[in-house]
Amino acid sequence: EVISFSEGGYEGVRLPHDDPVVVTLLVELFTMKRILIDSGSSTDILYKHAFDQLRIPVDQLKLVRTPLVGCAGEMVHPLGSIDLSVVAGTTPRQTQVQMT
C-alpha cells in the first residue's frame, strides 16, 4: 500500500530532497519516536539503550557473526538479532509486521 504525506508534512523541507524520513512506530507495544528510515541502509538497527527499555531478556537475541560497517567506516559487532512486532499507522490505515 502507498505511504503518503500531507502538504503539512513538507513544512520546512526544501524540494526536491532525498533526506531520510523520521517516524514514530509501535514496537512490541512501546511507542518509539524518532525512528530513522534510510532507504540506503541494508539493516534495521535498534540501539542497546532502546532494546533495554523494551525489557526483553538479552538471552532472546540470536547470535550474529557478521559485523556491520558504521557511518564513519568502522566495524561494529552487533549484540545479536531479534524478531519484533512493529505497527505503523493508525486505524483504519494500520499495518503490523514482524521485523528482524
Side-chain angles (χ1 to χ4, degrees), residues 21-66:
V21 176
V22 177
V23 298
T24 298
L25 295 174
L26 191 64
V27 179
E28 293 295 318
L29 302 179
F30 289 89
T31 301
M32 295 188 117
K33 298 180 179 181
R34 298 186 304 168
I35 295 175
L36 174 66
I37 308 282
D38 179 0
S39 60
S41 179
S42 61
T43 188
D44 300 315
I45 298 172
L46 179 65
Y47 288 97
K48 180 142 181 0
H49 178 74
F51 177 80
D52 290 343
Q53 289 181 324
L54 290 172
R55 298 194 174 152
I56 298 171
V58 176
D59 64 0
Q60 289 191 21
L61 289 172
K62 297 176 212 152
L63 181 64
V64 174
R65 296 184 191 273
T66 308

